[in-house]
Amino acid sequence: QVQLVESGGGLVQAGGSLRLSCAASGRTFSSYSMGWFRQAPGKEREFVARISWTGSTTRYADFVKGRFAISRDNAKNTVYLQMNSLKPEDTAVYYCAAGRGYSGNREYEYDYWGRGTQVTVSS
């Protein structure tokens, strides 16, 4: 079982940057794929990025390619989402998720979820 806590959200101007962190506790963190999802008001939750349990493979939604980067530090039990060139449309609650073994870009592939952190991008 894994518990996830996101942090690093806040208010930033368009074009700025934020780095989100997701701290994991529990067992077998290093064997989990990790993902980031987001949900804007009135919209459904959508996939942002994922990283394999080794950190060797990453995948991104098209709308964040070239702007966001996911990484993980298994020694610190932490996964990160570096967000650059932020746009107002990036405003959402960002959620960290963990999946046993392989997990891709669909919510049902993940087993554990954090409570989310708010990211607000002003124009």
Side-chain angles (χ1 to χ4, degrees), residues 9-84:
L11 176 64
V12 65
Q13 292 184 343
S17 298
L18 284 173
R19 191 190 194 198
L20 305 183
S21 298
C22 174
S25 61
R27 60 185 179 89
T28 67
F29 170 78
S30 62
S31 67
Y32 284 76
S33 296
M34 301 295 295
W36 286 96
F37 291 75
R38 71 186 188 186
Q39 187 169 23
K43 301 184 69 175
E44 296 186 356
R45 191 174 300 182
E46 63 182 350
F47 168 77
V48 176
R50 60 86 63 183
I51 187 168
S52 64
W53 67 273
T54 64
S56 62
T57 304
T58 58
R59 181 178 179 180
Y60 297 93
D62 288 343
F63 55 81
V64 303
K65 286 182 178 178
R67 299 191 297 125
F68 292 8
I70 188 171
S71 62
R72 68 189 298 165
D73 187 338
N74 289 346
K76 297 181 178 179
N77 297 144
T78 303
V79 63
Y80 306 96
L81 184 68
Q82 178 66 47
M83 305 187 296
N84 301 319

Side-chain angles (χ1 to χ4, degrees), residues 92-107:
V93 176
Y94 283 71
Y95 297 90
C96 176
R100 292 172 292 178
Y102 173 83
S103 298
N105 65 339
R106 292 177 170 81
E107 293 183 38

